[in-house]
Amino acid sequence: MSEPIRVLVTGAAGQIAYSLLYSIGNGSVFGKDQPIILVLLDITPMMGVLDGVLMELQDCALPLLKDVIATDKEDVAFKDLDVAILVGSMPRREGMERKDLLKANVKIFKSQGAALDKYAKKSVKVIVVGNPANTNCLTASKSAPSIPKENFSCLTRLDHNRAKAQIALKLGVTANDVKNVIIWGNHSSTQYPDVNHAKVKLQGKEVGVYEALKDDSWLKGEFVTQRGAAVIKARKLSSAMSAAKAICDHVRDIWFGTPEGEFVSMGVISDGNSYGVPDDLLYSFPVVIKNKTWKFVEGLPINDFSREKMDLTAKELTEEKESAFEFLSSA
């Protein structure tokens, strides 16, 4: 057995965490021979609920869980971390402007970034899920100058998985038969799901998704619309099971690497990209991962429709960043 790794989940009393924690504890993220010390952080009013989650995790009798620590204190939560999964954020309340949401979250992620900087290992991998995820991730990274900015990523894997699943449903195959879809940009309504480079296995042959679908109006319409809103409308709650599954996929790929010939989408720092996206944005790109290090997928041809969509989401991220940084200097 290897040494235990310390994994933090914030917002640990929430919906997504409830679906996520068991998967982390049972070895399906870090492997079946990797013991784990699981740290659960939430706000003080949620500590009662968090105790219930702690009891349930104990009752799962998971052999890999060496310890579970529930806390509302950042200095306890962020100590010596190997992985931090930041799920907790201020949710959007009715009648709340995106700017107000941004301001509340800058405060949270500035504080958590500073705690990472002060207490976590310098090699910590940080995954931000709480929305607005891209800008929250950038805020945390800026607040943790001693941790390499490449160690920070935000979740666009749910959008990536949704895109794969939608295509698979449309073509009557399984999601596993679809690969290399791309989510470009912000985890928001401006994100651009791109199938121009995606492949699908049909009758044992690999073909381009675009050619296989032959349905431009669906691709530019229904396919791009917000699936998340549809889930909320139906369940009266936001996506939790699918979000937790996407987090597991994202973190497992960081840990073990991406399969040969396959790339995934994640929000990463844009510095040095070859796609004309401005530097210093936390933007979702196609990446491959090896030895716990991601690299941009280079050299994909970008058509005019894609270019326009990619620029639009970059513009939104630049505006969000500017607002966030105003708050950051005053927070």
Side-chain angles (χ1 to χ4, degrees):
M1 275 290 195
S2 20
E3 276 294 293
I5 54 171
R6 282 181 90 89
V7 179
L8 166 68
V9 176
T10 71
Q15 269 238 92
I16 292 173
Y18 193 74
S19 288
L20 171 66
L21 293 168
Y22 176 72
S23 297
I24 294 174
N26 75 5
S28 47
V29 178
F30 297 105
K32 300 289 180 193
D33 52 1
Q34 177 58 67
I36 289 170
I37 296 166
L38 194 50
V39 189
L40 314 177
L41 176 71
D42 215 313
I43 54 175
T44 311
M46 296 306 288
M47 288 312 285
V49 177
L50 198 56
D51 274 339
V53 175
L54 175 74
M55 286 189 264
E56 278 206 74
L57 277 169
Q58 290 166 341
D59 295 350
C60 285
L62 294 162
L64 290 173
L65 270 193
K66 292 297 160 218
D67 196 9
V68 185
I69 299 155
T71 184
D72 56 357
K73 293 178 179 55
E74 286 184 346
D75 57 341
V76 176
F78 286 89
K79 189 144 186 52
D80 297 333
L81 291 180
D82 294 285
V83 179
I85 304 172
L86 310 183
V87 182
S89 64
M90 163 75 84
R92 195 166 187 164
R93 306 239 191 304
E94 209 144 339
M96 202 182 204
E97 287 293 316
R98 197 169 167 91
K99 222 168 174 147
D100 300 330
L101 185 69
L102 208 56
K103 192 173 185 175
N105 280 299
V106 163
K107 207 172 147 196
I108 295 169
F109 286 88
K110 180 184 183 180
S111 173
Q112 295 190 347
L116 282 162
D117 203 53
K118 193 170 172 188
Y119 301 112
K121 290 183 181 169
K122 297 307 170 199
S123 57
V124 66
K125 299 294 183 192
V126 184
I127 298 89
V128 177
V129 179
N131 284 320
N134 299 58
T135 300
N136 287 345
C137 188
L138 190 61
T139 301
S141 172
K142 293 284 181 193
S143 309
S146 70
I147 296 167
K149 47 189 166 186
E150 293 73 28
N151 290 21
F152 287 80
S153 60
C154 83
L155 187 78
T156 54
R157 187 60 169 266
L158 176 54
D159 310 301
H160 178 100
N161 286 351
R162 280 169 174 162
K164 271 176 68 160
Q166 291 292 309
I167 292 160
L169 283 167
K170 194 94 171 149
L171 293 173
V173 296
T174 67
N176 223 20
D177 295 324
V178 181
K179 69 175 192 186
N180 297 353
V181 300
I182 301 169
I183 306 296
W184 296 101
N186 198 1
H187 176 70
S188 76
S189 58
T190 67
Q191 69 176 35
Y192 170 47
D194 178 3
V195 302
N196 290 301
H197 314 284
K199 302 267 182 269
V200 58
K201 213 182 266 159
L202 285 179
Q203 287 115 25
K205 273 212 316 272
E206 211 171 65
V207 294
V209 163
Y210 198 84
E211 294 77 65
L213 280 167
K214 300 186 194 60
D215 192 342
D216 220 36
S217 64
W218 181 74
L219 276 174
K220 287 179 179 172
E222 202 185 323
F223 176 66
V224 189
T225 53
Q226 288 283 293
R227 177 77 159 182
V231 173
I232 292 175
K233 194 166 182 251
R235 270 193 89 225
K236 312 289 178 268
L237 292 162
S238 58
S239 310
M241 180 177 21
S242 53
K245 158 66 167 58
I247 295 165
C248 291
D249 291 347
H250 178 120
V251 178
R252 189 188 312 108
D253 284 346
I254 288 176
W255 213 249
F256 293 109
T258 45
E260 199 57 47
E262 214 168 303
F263 49 76
V264 295
S265 308
M266 54 176 69
V268 293
I269 194 72
S270 60
D271 298 7
N273 77 86
S274 61
Y275 293 105
V277 176
D279 280 355
D280 205 37
L281 287 180
L282 214 294
Y283 189 101
S284 181
F285 287 93
V287 298
V288 289
I289 304 166
K290 205 175 173 173
N291 304 327
K292 299 189 173 59
T293 306
W294 58 265
K295 281 193 174 71
F296 296 121
V297 175
E298 299 287 6
L300 299 172
I302 303 296
N303 63 29
D304 292 346
F305 179 78
S306 297
R307 180 76 267 159
E308 194 183 321
K309 291 284 193 192
M310 287 162 68
D311 289 347
L312 192 72
T313 191
K315 183 172 176 280
E316 182 183 60
L317 277 171
T318 304
E319 286 163 8
E320 264 188 36
K321 173 184 143 175
E322 282 164 5
S323 305
F325 283 17
E326 260 166 61
F327 299 140
L328 196 57
S329 49
S330 62

mmCIF file with all atom_site columns, all heavy atoms in Angstrom, residues 42-54:
data_model
loop_
_atom_site.group_PDB
_atom_site.id
_atom_site.type_symbol
_atom_site.label_atom_id
_atom_site.label_alt_id
_atom_site.label_comp_id
_atom_site.label_asym_id
_atom_site.label_entity_id
_atom_site.label_seq_id
_atom_site.pdbx_PDB_ins_code
_atom_site.Cartn_x
_atom_site.Cartn_y
_atom_site.Cartn_z
_atom_site.occupancy
_atom_site.B_iso_or_equiv
_atom_site.pdbx_formal_charge
_atom_site.auth_seq_id
_atom_site.auth_comp_id
_atom_site.auth_asym_id
_atom_site.auth_atom_id
_atom_site.pdbx_PDB_model_num
ATOM 1  N N   . ASP A 1 42 ? -16.863 22.830 5.064  1.00 0.00 ? 42 ASP A N   1
ATOM 2  C CA  . ASP A 1 42 ? -18.065 23.587 4.724  1.00 0.00 ? 42 ASP A CA  1
ATOM 3  C C   . ASP A 1 42 ? -18.210 24.748 5.697  1.00 0.00 ? 42 ASP A C   1
ATOM 4  O O   . ASP A 1 42 ? -17.411 24.876 6.640  1.00 0.00 ? 42 ASP A O   1
ATOM 5  C CB  . ASP A 1 42 ? -19.322 22.696 4.703  1.00 0.00 ? 42 ASP A CB  1
ATOM 6  C CG  . ASP A 1 42 ? -20.306 23.150 3.602  1.00 0.00 ? 42 ASP A CG  1
ATOM 7  O OD1 . ASP A 1 42 ? -20.576 24.372 3.512  1.00 0.00 ? 42 ASP A OD1 1
ATOM 8  O OD2 . ASP A 1 42 ? -20.777 22.296 2.832  1.00 0.00 ? 42 ASP A OD2 1
ATOM 9  N N   . ILE A 1 43 ? -19.207 25.581 5.475  1.00 0.00 ? 43 ILE A N   1
ATOM 10 C CA  . ILE A 1 43 ? -19.394 26.743 6.348  1.00 0.00 ? 43 ILE A CA  1
ATOM 11 C C   . ILE A 1 43 ? -20.011 26.290 7.687  1.00 0.00 ? 43 ILE A C   1
ATOM 12 O O   . ILE A 1 43 ? -20.669 25.249 7.767  1.00 0.00 ? 43 ILE A O   1
ATOM 13 C CB  . ILE A 1 43 ? -20.268 27.833 5.675  1.00 0.00 ? 43 ILE A CB  1
ATOM 14 C CG1 . ILE A 1 43 ? -21.607 27.250 5.206  1.00 0.00 ? 43 ILE A CG1 1
ATOM 15 C CG2 . ILE A 1 43 ? -19.517 28.467 4.509  1.00 0.00 ? 43 ILE A CG2 1
ATOM 16 C CD1 . ILE A 1 43 ? -22.576 28.265 4.631  1.00 0.00 ? 43 ILE A CD1 1
ATOM 17 N N   . THR A 1 44 ? -19.789 27.072 8.712  1.00 0.00 ? 44 THR A N   1
ATOM 18 C CA  . THR A 1 44 ? -20.203 26.714 10.074 1.00 0.00 ? 44 THR A CA  1
ATOM 19 C C   . THR A 1 44 ? -21.673 26.279 10.180 1.00 0.00 ? 44 THR A C   1
ATOM 20 O O   . THR A 1 44 ? -21.956 25.264 10.818 1.00 0.00 ? 44 THR A O   1
ATOM 21 C CB  . THR A 1 44 ? -19.902 27.886 11.039 1.00 0.00 ? 44 THR A CB  1
ATOM 22 O OG1 . THR A 1 44 ? -18.537 28.295 10.801 1.00 0.00 ? 44 THR A OG1 1
ATOM 23 C CG2 . THR A 1 44 ? -20.048 27.461 12.486 1.00 0.00 ? 44 THR A CG2 1
ATOM 24 N N   . PRO A 1 45 ? -22.626 27.004 9.563  1.00 0.00 ? 45 PRO A N   1
ATOM 25 C CA  . PRO A 1 45 ? -24.031 26.571 9.687  1.00 0.00 ? 45 PRO A CA  1
ATOM 26 C C   . PRO A 1 45 ? -24.319 25.178 9.119  1.00 0.00 ? 45 PRO A C   1
ATOM 27 O O   . PRO A 1 45 ? -25.350 24.585 9.432  1.00 0.00 ? 45 PRO A O   1
ATOM 28 C CB  . PRO A 1 45 ? -24.812 27.625 8.881  1.00 0.00 ? 45 PRO A CB  1
ATOM 29 C CG  . PRO A 1 45 ? -23.904 28.785 8.746  1.00 0.00 ? 45 PRO A CG  1
ATOM 30 C CD  . PRO A 1 45 ? -22.509 28.271 8.808  1.00 0.00 ? 45 PRO A CD  1
ATOM 31 N N   . MET A 1 46 ? -23.398 24.649 8.297  1.00 0.00 ? 46 MET A N   1
ATOM 32 C CA  . MET A 1 46 ? -23.611 23.330 7.687  1.00 0.00 ? 46 MET A CA  1
ATOM 33 C C   . MET A 1 46 ? -22.947 22.195 8.466  1.00 0.00 ? 46 MET A C   1
ATOM 34 O O   . MET A 1 46 ? -23.000 21.037 8.055  1.00 0.00 ? 46 MET A O   1
ATOM 35 C CB  . MET A 1 46 ? -23.060 23.322 6.245  1.00 0.00 ? 46 MET A CB  1
ATOM 36 C CG  . MET A 1 46 ? -23.754 24.270 5.289  1.00 0.00 ? 46 MET A CG  1
ATOM 37 S SD  . MET A 1 46 ? -25.536 24.044 5.210  1.00 0.00 ? 46 MET A SD  1
ATOM 38 C CE  . MET A 1 46 ? -25.634 22.490 4.334  1.00 0.00 ? 46 MET A CE  1
ATOM 39 N N   . MET A 1 47 ? -22.330 22.513 9.590  1.00 0.00 ? 47 MET A N   1
ATOM 40 C CA  . MET A 1 47 ? -21.560 21.488 10.305 1.00 0.00 ? 47 MET A CA  1
ATOM 41 C C   . MET A 1 47 ? -22.407 20.317 10.799 1.00 0.00 ? 47 MET A C   1
ATOM 42 O O   . MET A 1 47 ? -21.950 19.179 10.832 1.00 0.00 ? 47 MET A O   1
ATOM 43 C CB  . MET A 1 47 ? -20.760 22.110 11.452 1.00 0.00 ? 47 MET A CB  1
ATOM 44 C CG  . MET A 1 47 ? -19.567 22.944 10.996 1.00 0.00 ? 47 MET A CG  1
ATOM 45 S SD  . MET A 1 47 ? -18.500 22.156 9.759  1.00 0.00 ? 47 MET A SD  1
ATOM 46 C CE  . MET A 1 47 ? -17.643 20.967 10.779 1.00 0.00 ? 47 MET A CE  1
ATOM 47 N N   . GLY A 1 48 ? -23.647 20.602 11.155 1.00 0.00 ? 48 GLY A N   1
ATOM 48 C CA  . GLY A 1 48 ? -24.555 19.521 11.585 1.00 0.00 ? 48 GLY A CA  1
ATOM 49 C C   . GLY A 1 48 ? -24.780 18.523 10.463 1.00 0.00 ? 48 GLY A C   1
ATOM 50 O O   . GLY A 1 48 ? -24.646 17.304 10.640 1.00 0.00 ? 48 GLY A O   1
ATOM 51 N N   . VAL A 1 49 ? -25.098 19.045 9.280  1.00 0.00 ? 49 VAL A N   1
ATOM 52 C CA  . VAL A 1 49 ? -25.306 18.210 8.091  1.00 0.00 ? 49 VAL A CA  1
ATOM 53 C C   . VAL A 1 49 ? -24.017 17.450 7.759  1.00 0.00 ? 49 VAL A C   1
ATOM 54 O O   . VAL A 1 49 ? -24.044 16.258 7.441  1.00 0.00 ? 49 VAL A O   1
ATOM 55 C CB  . VAL A 1 49 ? -25.730 19.081 6.881  1.00 0.00 ? 49 VAL A CB  1
ATOM 56 C CG1 . VAL A 1 49 ? -25.888 18.233 5.622  1.00 0.00 ? 49 VAL A CG1 1
ATOM 57 C CG2 . VAL A 1 49 ? -27.032 19.819 7.188  1.00 0.00 ? 49 VAL A CG2 1
ATOM 58 N N   . LEU A 1 50 ? -22.893 18.153 7.869  1.00 0.00 ? 50 LEU A N   1
ATOM 59 C CA  . LEU A 1 50 ? -21.602 17.549 7.533  1.00 0.00 ? 50 LEU A CA  1
ATOM 60 C C   . LEU A 1 50 ? -21.287 16.365 8.451  1.00 0.00 ? 50 LEU A C   1
ATOM 61 O O   . LEU A 1 50 ? -20.705 15.369 8.010  1.00 0.00 ? 50 LEU A O   1
ATOM 62 C CB  . LEU A 1 50 ? -20.490 18.608 7.610  1.00 0.00 ? 50 LEU A CB  1
ATOM 63 C CG  . LEU A 1 50 ? -19.189 18.255 6.901  1.00 0.00 ? 50 LEU A CG  1
ATOM 64 C CD1 . LEU A 1 50 ? -19.416 17.918 5.438  1.00 0.00 ? 50 LEU A CD1 1
ATOM 65 C CD2 . LEU A 1 50 ? -18.179 19.390 7.014  1.00 0.00 ? 50 LEU A CD2 1
ATOM 66 N N   . ASP A 1 51 ? -21.693 16.473 9.708  1.00 0.00 ? 51 ASP A N   1
ATOM 67 C CA  . ASP A 1 51 ? -21.522 15.345 10.630 1.00 0.00 ? 51 ASP A CA  1
ATOM 68 C C   . ASP A 1 51 ? -22.269 14.114 10.146 1.00 0.00 ? 51 ASP A C   1
ATOM 69 O O   . ASP A 1 51 ? -21.786 12.989 10.284 1.00 0.00 ? 51 ASP A O   1
ATOM 70 C CB  . ASP A 1 51 ? -22.001 15.726 12.042 1.00 0.00 ? 51 ASP A CB  1
ATOM 71 C CG  . ASP A 1 51 ? -20.889 16.423 12.823 1.00 0.00 ? 51 ASP A CG  1
ATOM 72 O OD1 . ASP A 1 51 ? -19.713 16.244 12.455 1.00 0.00 ? 51 ASP A OD1 1
ATOM 73 O OD2 . ASP A 1 51 ? -21.200 17.157 13.785 1.00 0.00 ? 51 ASP A OD2 1
ATOM 74 N N   . GLY A 1 52 ? -23.457 14.342 9.573  1.00 0.00 ? 52 GLY A N   1
ATOM 75 C CA  . GLY A 1 52 ? -24.237 13.241 9.014  1.00 0.00 ? 52 GLY A CA  1
ATOM 76 C C   . GLY A 1 52 ? -23.511 12.585 7.846  1.00 0.00 ? 52 GLY A C   1
ATOM 77 O O   . GLY A 1 52 ? -23.482 11.353 7.715  1.00 0.00 ? 52 GLY A O   1
ATOM 78 N N   . VAL A 1 53 ? -22.897 13.416 6.994  1.00 0.00 ? 53 VAL A N   1
ATOM 79 C CA  . VAL A 1 53 ? -22.128 12.906 5.850  1.00 0.00 ? 53 VAL A CA  1
ATOM 80 C C   . VAL A 1 53 ? -20.927 12.097 6.352  1.00 0.00 ? 53 VAL A C   1
ATOM 81 O O   . VAL A 1 53 ? -20.629 11.017 5.840  1.00 0.00 ? 53 VAL A O   1
ATOM 82 C CB  . VAL A 1 53 ? -21.647 14.072 4.941  1.00 0.00 ? 53 VAL A CB  1
ATOM 83 C CG1 . VAL A 1 53 ? -20.754 13.557 3.820  1.00 0.00 ? 53 VAL A CG1 1
ATOM 84 C CG2 . VAL A 1 53 ? -22.846 14.830 4.369  1.00 0.00 ? 53 VAL A CG2 1
ATOM 85 N N   . LEU A 1 54 ? -20.272 12.626 7.372  1.00 0.00 ? 54 LEU A N   1
ATOM 86 C CA  . LEU A 1 54 ? -19.135 11.938 7.989  1.00 0.00 ? 54 LEU A CA  1
ATOM 87 C C   . LEU A 1 54 ? -19.547 10.556 8.510  1.00 0.00 ? 54 LEU A C   1
ATOM 88 O O   . LEU A 1 54 ? -18.872 9.551  8.263  1.00 0.00 ? 54 LEU A O   1
ATOM 89 C CB  . LEU A 1 54 ? -18.585 12.807 9.128  1.00 0.00 ? 54 LEU A CB  1
ATOM 90 C CG  . LEU A 1 54 ? -17.461 12.228 9.983  1.00 0.00 ? 54 LEU A CG  1
ATOM 91 C CD1 . LEU A 1 54 ? -16.153 12.238 9.221  1.00 0.00 ? 54 LEU A CD1 1
ATOM 92 C CD2 . LEU A 1 54 ? -17.300 13.019 11.269 1.00 0.00 ? 54 LEU A CD2 1
#
